[in-house]
Amino acid sequence: MTSHPLLIVILAAGKGTRMKSTLPKVLHRVAGRSLLGHAIAASRSAAADRIAVVVGPGMDEVADETRRFAPGAEIFVQHEQLGTAHAVLAARPALQAHKGDVIVLFADTPLLTPETVARLRGILDGGAALAVLGFEAADPTGYGRLVTDASGALLAIREDRDATETERRIRLCNSGVVAFRTPALVSILDRIGKANAKGEYYLTEAAEIARKDGLRLSVGTCPEEEVLGINSRDQLAGAEAIWQQRARQKVMQAGATLIAPETVWLSHDTVIGRDVVIEPNVFIGEGVVIEDNVVIKANCHLQGIDRRSAGGVRVRQGAEIGPFARLRPGTDIGPEAHIGNFVEIKNARLDEGAKANHLTYIGDAHVGANANIGAGTITCNYDGFDKGHTEIGAGAFIGTNSSLVAPITIGENAYVGAGSVISGQDVEPGSLAVVRGPRNDRPGWVASFRERIKSKSGKKT
Ligand code: UD1
Ligand code: MG
């Protein structure tokens, strides 16, 4: 391990006009986390001591997102977009204050792994002053090419537009990730000119200048998919697909069974225990923890955090969810509890062995151990202004098609008769509450009704 402190500079100033969006490009999400969030997460996992993010003018949302993921990050504004070297120099105060390694990353590359960043640093440990991350491109068009000598040593990076015919044939391309271990970094960047086809300050020029200074340059490589840059919705979906594939592999390697892995959607922070079985067509949003031995049956939607709330979903040991269940933020399903088809749970805790097997909404509630919630039960938690809490005691039995108007408490081991609307007064432990119109049977009514209709209208019945 190296003892050189690491500064990672993340370039996030691009607007991403090809995304056709009001959101800045780097705030689009893969696996529920913004592209910038992925770059910051990779930087942290790569043990960055300092993170600097370069944003465009007026990109307050990007700055906010930076603070959310890395409260200690330094944020710099690149007022005009004059090229990648110019963008790095927007972070000049951070570069000048830092003694150690500097790695530059693009914020639109969400599949870069911390292992690759660590490998690049390993190359610096081997004596290089500058290490570029390269990849063999299936189609190199548009990328900078890594020009090497016969021994494979890096001579220069040539942008596509500035390359000669021979250089264009090179398939080893620049990913954009560059690592530096040289006190001359700022001096090198300051010497980069803009005599090129785009008239921009190219960071890639740093290679040739460093070589002329007599510094050692080197190349590390990674698979192309790791450095896939996002410029369009199409590429965003492509990155999502690759990310999901990786995440499913990890989950299965950790001991979960995914019957049809390609139909299970995970989030960047999903935690899944051992011997969990997930049936086909399950979506898992941010903030979900699934403990050991849980079964998630087909067609469930679990979303632990949404834009309005931070709650998380936890499904504890041995619980069964679905098919067709929806778990929303703030849901805590106890061990061995059962949540069945067409059941929605929000901001509610169900204790061990509780059951809500069919057609139910439980919101802003606590359900005690082994309570049984009958089909069609609704906690009426909202009066148009405020949310009210429903407390259901352990062992309680809520009959089918009951409405529990919050705030309300159903005592331990109490029964609620089917079809009841329970409001106002709490139900005492151990008692039965039934609220229904009286039953009114009229023997022979049907025949006399039909007779009346027939004689009035002459219709056959
Ligand atoms: C860049 C590299 C190219 C490499 C390719 C990999 C340069 C000159 N070229 O080209 O060698 O093969 O990436 O995808 O570095 N940015 C700013 N401010 C600017 C300009 C860019 O913040 O003034 C940011 C962008 O938001 C983006 C990144 O830097 O995240 C790269 O810029 P982009 O214009 O996409 O460079 P490429 O032409 O793709
Ligand atoms: Mg690009």
Side-chain angles (χ1 to χ4, degrees), residues 191-435:
R191 279 181 278 155
I192 292 175
K194 50 178 181 173
N196 51 56
K198 262 172 115 181
E200 283 188 358
Y201 297 96
Y202 288 167
L203 179 60
T204 45
E205 291 281 312
E208 214 160 342
I209 296 174
R211 184 174 59 83
K212 286 184 182 151
D213 279 0
L215 298 174
R216 230 174 96 189
L217 320 186
S218 214
V219 178
T221 54
C222 72
E224 182 168 11
E225 69 163 44
E226 249 194 73
V227 286
L228 192 85
I230 310 298
N231 291 310
S232 64
R233 307 274 181 160
D234 186 48
Q235 288 167 332
L236 188 69
E240 179 81 45
I242 295 170
W243 198 97
Q244 290 295 338
Q245 213 176 330
R246 282 187 190 170
R248 292 165 189 144
Q249 287 299 326
K250 277 192 210 153
V251 160
M252 292 189 285
Q253 279 157 12
T257 295
L258 308 189
I259 293 176
E262 65 285 3
T263 68
V264 174
W265 295 84
L266 305 163
S267 275
H268 65 96
D269 60 351
T270 305
V271 178
I272 297 182
R274 290 174 75 128
D275 292 315
V276 166
V277 176
I278 303 185
E279 292 183 0
N281 299 321
V282 171
F283 178 89
I284 298 173
E286 270 190 294
V288 175
V289 177
I290 297 171
E291 295 186 357
D292 295 349
N293 299 306
V294 163
V295 179
I296 311 279
K297 295 181 182 166
N299 300 304
C300 287
H301 191 281
L302 286 67
Q303 170 83 49
I305 302 172
D306 63 15
R307 282 199 193 95
R308 283 169 303 167
S309 52
V313 161
R314 180 174 282 269
V315 183
R316 295 179 190 267
Q317 298 251 356
E320 279 185 33
I321 310 294
F324 296 100
R326 179 173 184 207
L327 306 186
R328 292 174 52 202
T331 292
D332 185 340
I333 305 296
E336 312 292 332
H338 288 188
I339 302 300
N341 42 277
F342 307 108
V343 173
E344 174 180 345
I345 316 263
K346 184 219 71 168
N347 188 32
R349 181 158 65 88
L350 279 76
D351 289 344
E352 183 159 3
K355 291 187 177 60
N357 272 329
H358 338 263
L359 302 154
T360 284
Y361 172 63
I362 298 174
D364 303 305
H366 169 228
V367 178
N370 300 313
N372 192 317
I373 311 292
T377 297
I378 306 288
T379 55
C380 311
N381 61 328
Y382 186 49
D383 59 11
F385 298 93
D386 298 310
K387 300 278 166 70
H389 178 84
T390 299
E391 183 69 29
I392 299 175
F397 184 98
I398 311 298
T400 300
N401 214 26
S402 295
S403 300
L404 309 177
V405 182
I408 194 89
T409 296
I410 313 296
E412 281 186 16
N413 292 311
Y415 262 59
V416 168
S420 296
V421 177
I422 305 289
S423 64
Q425 209 186 318
D426 293 343
V427 178
E428 291 303 313
S431 56
L432 166 69
V434 194
V435 187

Side-chain angles (χ1 to χ4, degrees), residues 169-201:
R169 280 199 288 274
I170 299 172
R171 284 185 49 215
L172 184 62
C173 292
N174 174 27
S175 68
V177 183
V178 199
F180 299 91
R181 181 175 292 173
T182 165
L185 173 58
V186 173
S187 137
I188 291 171
L189 297 177
D190 275 332
R191 279 181 278 155
I192 292 175
K194 50 178 181 173
N196 51 56
K198 262 172 115 181
E200 283 188 358
Y201 297 96

Side-chain angles (χ1 to χ4, degrees), residues 60-255:
D60 296 344
E61 299 154 280
V62 178
D64 289 347
E65 183 81 343
T66 302
R67 287 185 206 102
R68 200 159 82 82
F69 282 99
E74 295 162 83
I75 298 169
F76 298 94
V77 179
Q78 185 196 19
H79 291 284
E80 275 181 289
Q81 291 185 17
L82 300 179
T84 43
H86 182 260
V88 177
L89 278 171
R92 185 188 292 271
L95 299 173
Q96 281 170 336
H98 179 73
K99 296 204 171 17
D101 298 347
V102 175
I103 294 183
V104 178
L105 303 182
F106 295 163
D108 66 354
T109 317
L111 300 169
L112 183 70
T113 63
E115 293 75 23
T116 295
V117 177
R119 226 173 36 244
L120 212 56
R121 254 186 126 194
I123 295 175
L124 299 181
D125 288 337
L130 182 157
V132 179
L133 181 63
F135 65 100
E136 288 286 333
D139 174 8
T141 316
Y143 290 116
R145 310 295 206 284
L146 302 187
V147 184
T148 51
D149 67 12
S151 73
L154 181 66
L155 300 175
I157 308 172
R158 196 78 67 225
E159 288 306 292
D160 192 50
R161 296 181 190 214
D162 303 296
T164 63
E165 269 313 305
T166 324
E167 286 168 343
R168 280 214 178 101
R169 280 199 288 274
I170 299 172
R171 284 185 49 215
L172 184 62
C173 292
N174 174 27
S175 68
V177 183
V178 199
F180 299 91
R181 181 175 292 173
T182 165
L185 173 58
V186 173
S187 137
I188 291 171
L189 297 177
D190 275 332
R191 279 181 278 155
I192 292 175
K194 50 178 181 173
N196 51 56
K198 262 172 115 181
E200 283 188 358
Y201 297 96
Y202 288 167
L203 179 60
T204 45
E205 291 281 312
E208 214 160 342
I209 296 174
R211 184 174 59 83
K212 286 184 182 151
D213 279 0
L215 298 174
R216 230 174 96 189
L217 320 186
S218 214
V219 178
T221 54
C222 72
E224 182 168 11
E225 69 163 44
E226 249 194 73
V227 286
L228 192 85
I230 310 298
N231 291 310
S232 64
R233 307 274 181 160
D234 186 48
Q235 288 167 332
L236 188 69
E240 179 81 45
I242 295 170
W243 198 97
Q244 290 295 338
Q245 213 176 330
R246 282 187 190 170
R248 292 165 189 144
Q249 287 299 326
K250 277 192 210 153
V251 160
M252 292 189 285
Q253 279 157 12

